[in-house]
């Protein structure tokens, strides 16, 4: 089974709708991350969490919120989706000082 | 500002040749560097890493070189194979691992 899973894998939604993307990991890591990927811009950090009680904004947190429900679960919400949030979203997990393990991604389209 | 950049957005190599992918970073305090490979439709996967107290590290067919003087990182792939075709990202971690910055990526094409 995959170490990091994301649901849904694909989602098409309309402007103004609330969307939640979910992430689960079986690595036992404390650190979890949400990234957005747009063509030509690499990965940009939305939010990160170093443990269950720790939530931090990344470089592009506006329009997004997160919830760390447990060590293994970290969800990303778009409270009111807009078209420029159309992108590929990745969840990742890591231990301190080591590489990140990424999920397979969620392709979100906002029409 | 802090940034990790790549010199070339695309690289095309002949199968069997060696590939070199370059990356520049601007934060001299970064102490941990990672290369990731992203295949189409998948999330990035770890390839190799290097800490700032080293200047070279080798893996299976891959070598990472770190030049702290000019803040440059490179990934060398020996005997490039079709399965190496992907986008490659470099990433840097600041001290304490509090922040990871990813480069924009280089797309590697391997010609048969």
């Amino acid at each position: 089974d995959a170490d990091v899973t994301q649901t849904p894998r694909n989602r098409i939604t309309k402007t103004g709708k609330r969307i939640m993307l979910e992430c689960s990991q079986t690595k036992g890591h404390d650190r979890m991350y949400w990234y957005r990927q747009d063509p030509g811009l690499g990965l940009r950090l939305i939010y990160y969490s170093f443990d269950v009680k720790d939530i931090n904004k990344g470089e592009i947190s506006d329009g997004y919120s997160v919830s760390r429900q447990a060590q293994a679960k970290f969800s990303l919400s778009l409270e009111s989706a807009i078209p420029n949030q159309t992108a590929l979203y990745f969840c990742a997990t890591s231990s301190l000082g080591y590489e990140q393990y990424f999920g397979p991604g969620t392709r979100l389209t906002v029409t | 500002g802090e940034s990790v950049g790549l010199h070339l957005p695309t690289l095309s190599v002949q199968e069997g040749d060696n590939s070199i992918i370059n990356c520049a970073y601007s934060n001299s305090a970064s102490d941990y560097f990672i290369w990731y490979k992203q295949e189409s439709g998948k999330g990035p996967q770890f390839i190799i890493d290097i800490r700032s107290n080293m200047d070279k590290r080798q893996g299976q067919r891959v070598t990472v070189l770190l030049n702290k003087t000019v803040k440059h990182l490179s990934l060398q792939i020996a005997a490039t194979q079709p399965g190496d075709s992907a986008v490659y990202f470099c990433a840097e971690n600041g001290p304490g691992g509090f922040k990871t910055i990813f480069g924009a990526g280089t797309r590697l094409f391997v010609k048969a």
Side-chain angles (χ1 to χ4, degrees):
Chain A
D1 288 341
D3 295 323
V4 184
T5 57
Q6 292 184 233
T7 56
R9 293 294 312 279
N10 289 281
R11 181 71 182 268
I12 301 173
T13 191
K14 295 185 183 298
T15 297
K17 294 292 187 181
R18 184 178 187 275
I19 295 296
M20 179 181 285
L21 309 183
E22 299 189 4
C23 176
S24 294
Q25 54 106 352
T26 58
K27 299 292 291 182
H29 292 160
D30 288 327
R31 299 184 168 202
M32 297 188 74
Y33 312 80
W34 274 104
Y35 292 93
R36 167 178 173 158
Q37 186 175 38
D38 296 279
L41 292 180
L43 293 161
R44 291 186 291 169
L45 184 63
I46 306 172
Y47 271 95
Y48 62 102
S49 169
F50 285 172
D51 64 43
V52 175
K53 297 181 180 180
D54 176 75
I55 300 289
N56 304 282
K57 292 183 177 181
E59 60 182 298
I60 56 163
S61 59
D62 287 349
Y64 302 95
S65 62
V66 291
S67 174
R68 185 79 185 268
Q69 301 95 324
Q71 185 199 41
K73 297 184 181 297
F74 193 37
S75 60
L76 175 72
S77 294
L78 286 68
E79 297 301 325
S80 180
I82 56 177
N84 77 0
Q85 291 178 312
T86 293
L88 196 53
Y89 290 85
F90 287 103
C91 174
T93 181
S94 76
S95 290
L96 171 63
Y98 292 91
E99 74 275 19
Q100 295 183 22
Y101 292 81
F102 287 84
T106 294
R107 186 170 298 279
L108 177 67
T109 303
V110 184
T111 61
Chain B
E2 297 170 358
S3 67
V4 176
L6 294 171
H7 296 304
L8 296 173
T10 61
L11 177 65
S12 184
V13 300
Q14 198 69 38
E15 182 180 359
D17 288 351
N18 296 335
S19 302
I20 300 176
I21 301 172
N22 296 302
C23 177
Y25 66 95
S26 58
N27 185 359
S28 57
S30 291
D31 59 4
Y32 178 53
F33 303 88
I34 314 108
W35 281 100
Y36 292 91
K37 173 185 180 183
Q38 186 177 21
E39 296 176 281
S40 181
K42 298 182 179 180
Q45 287 185 295
F46 170 85
I47 303 172
I48 192 168
D49 59 2
I50 189 167
R51 300 199 183 270
S52 58
N53 60 351
M54 302 173 69
D55 53 21
K56 180 179 180 179
R57 190 157 189 235
Q58 289 184 292
Q60 188 175 16
R61 281 202 308 118
V62 294
T63 300
V64 55
L65 299 177
L66 176 63
N67 186 331
K68 294 181 287 294
T69 301
V70 295
K71 288 182 280 188
H72 184 266
L73 190 68
S74 68
L75 176 70
Q76 300 179 0
I77 305 173
T80 312
Q81 301 169 0
D84 294 326
S85 293
V87 176
Y88 290 82
F89 294 96
C90 64
E92 62 175 318
N93 272 25
F98 291 108
K99 187 174 181 181
T100 299
I101 300 172
F102 288 85
T106 293
R107 183 174 295 279
L108 176 65
F109 291 102
V110 181
K111 297 177 288 187

